[in-house]
Amino acid sequence: MTHETDKIKSNKIKNNKIKNKTKIVFVTGNKGKFIEIKEILEPFGFEVLQEKTDFPEIQADELEPIAKASAKSAADFFKIPVIVDDSGLFIEALNGFPGPYSRFVEDKLGNQKVLKLMKGETNRNAYFKTVIAYCEPNKEPEAYSGIVKGKIAHEERGNEGFGYDPIFEYEGKTFGELGNDVKNKISHRRRAIDEFLLKKSGVREPDF
Ligand code: ITT
């Protein structure tokens, strides 16, 4: 999808944005994710507050059940509506690894060792996926997802962003080089939030 299409979509949502400031609680311990969600949601009239939890995450091969279970536990615990973001980097040549185990792999291996695993590999295709789960206390969680396709770079590039951003190339530049302003227009996280906003405000027709 082009930047232009994204701009049109964003404007559609912006023009129909939620009138009054809506508070939304984002449960995360990851500062990079919090900053991005805040920057993405604020122009749409949301005030984003951060809560942290130490709840153990369930283990699963898909992000959706992990995000939904976390959102349900957090909403019932804090007794407020919450969003949770579960994300991962899926590398084609590694059969989708690290995927749902991305946090563990970042902590234990880091970008340099992931690059080492990819040494000599000509298929550099990869995608980032985010699942945003929304849950109100004593209700069932809802999940919205977004994907961005790219390539694994041959070396780390760029000082912006966080996590795997310096090794994930989108149209020739890494997310670490692009910076938040550009990343937030086209990222997996932005696309998942767009789906969430579409459902909540009923504005945009999904076409990706
Ligand atoms: P919470 O569960 O507390 O929200 P987390 O860091 O465990 O934080 P995830 O499981 O969603 O979050 O993230 C999986 C890993 O992928 C983690 O190491 C992140 O730093 C990384 N990651 C997530 N989104 C990313 C993005 O947009 N760019 C680069 N790396 C990202």
Side-chain angles (χ1 to χ4, degrees):
M1 185 171 35
T2 64
H3 293 226
E4 206 45 46
T5 327
D6 282 313
K7 224 186 280 167
I8 294 164
K9 282 182 190 159
S10 308
N11 286 340
K12 270 200 202 171
I13 294 176
K14 229 181 254 170
N15 294 336
N16 292 273
K17 78 178 179 197
I18 291 87
K19 300 269 173 336
N20 301 314
K21 230 174 187 191
T22 310
K23 278 195 181 147
I24 195 150
V25 173
F26 177 26
V27 182
T28 182
N30 186 315
K31 192 135 182 263
K33 294 199 316 192
F34 176 69
I35 291 168
E36 284 185 13
I37 292 277
K38 196 172 155 67
E39 286 175 355
I40 293 168
L41 277 173
E42 267 178 359
F44 297 112
F46 286 93
E47 183 183 348
V48 185
L49 309 170
Q50 184 180 13
E51 282 287 359
K52 294 177 193 172
T53 61
D54 284 328
F55 297 142
E57 263 182 11
I58 64 158
Q59 290 246 330
D61 290 340
E62 303 283 338
L63 299 177
E64 279 84 355
I66 304 173
K68 279 176 148 181
S70 299
K72 173 91 185 121
S73 311
D76 290 348
F77 178 79
F78 290 116
K79 308 212 181 312
I80 41 171
V82 300
I83 57 168
V84 162
D85 163 323
D86 205 40
S87 300
L89 174 67
F90 295 74
I91 303 177
E92 199 171 281
L94 304 179
N95 299 325
F97 180 84
Y101 310 104
S102 293
R103 171 67 192 274
F104 182 76
V105 169
E106 190 192 321
D107 290 349
K108 299 287 176 202
L109 299 182
N111 287 338
Q112 283 303 326
K113 290 220 166 101
V114 172
L115 289 177
K116 223 167 172 183
L117 282 176
M118 290 294 287
K119 206 163 174 215
E121 185 54 69
T122 50
N123 176 5
R124 314 294 298 183
N125 293 338
Y127 65 89
F128 266 127
K129 179 173 179 179
T130 285
V131 173
I132 297 286
Y134 171 79
C135 192
E136 296 173 11
N138 306 314
K139 296 239 176 92
E140 286 311 304
E142 305 159 11
Y144 306 91
S145 64
I147 281 176
V148 64
K149 290 183 181 168
K151 296 204 181 292
I152 300 299
H154 288 273
E155 69 288 306
E156 288 188 89
R157 297 199 319 267
N159 302 315
E160 310 273 342
F162 66 98
Y164 297 101
D165 283 343
I167 63 166
F168 183 82
E169 263 181 20
Y170 176 79
E171 296 184 351
K173 282 195 173 173
T174 68
F175 272 179
E177 292 173 311
L178 285 177
N180 273 13
D181 281 356
V182 178
K183 182 183 172 189
N184 286 344
K185 289 194 175 87
I186 47 89
S187 75
H188 46 312
R189 186 157 291 109
R190 172 55 186 267
R191 290 170 182 177
I193 286 286
D194 276 358
E195 291 305 301
F196 166 72
L197 289 173
L198 172 67
K199 181 71 192 296
K200 292 299 160 203
S201 58
V203 184
R204 188 177 58 68
E205 283 131 43
D207 60 5
F208 61 86

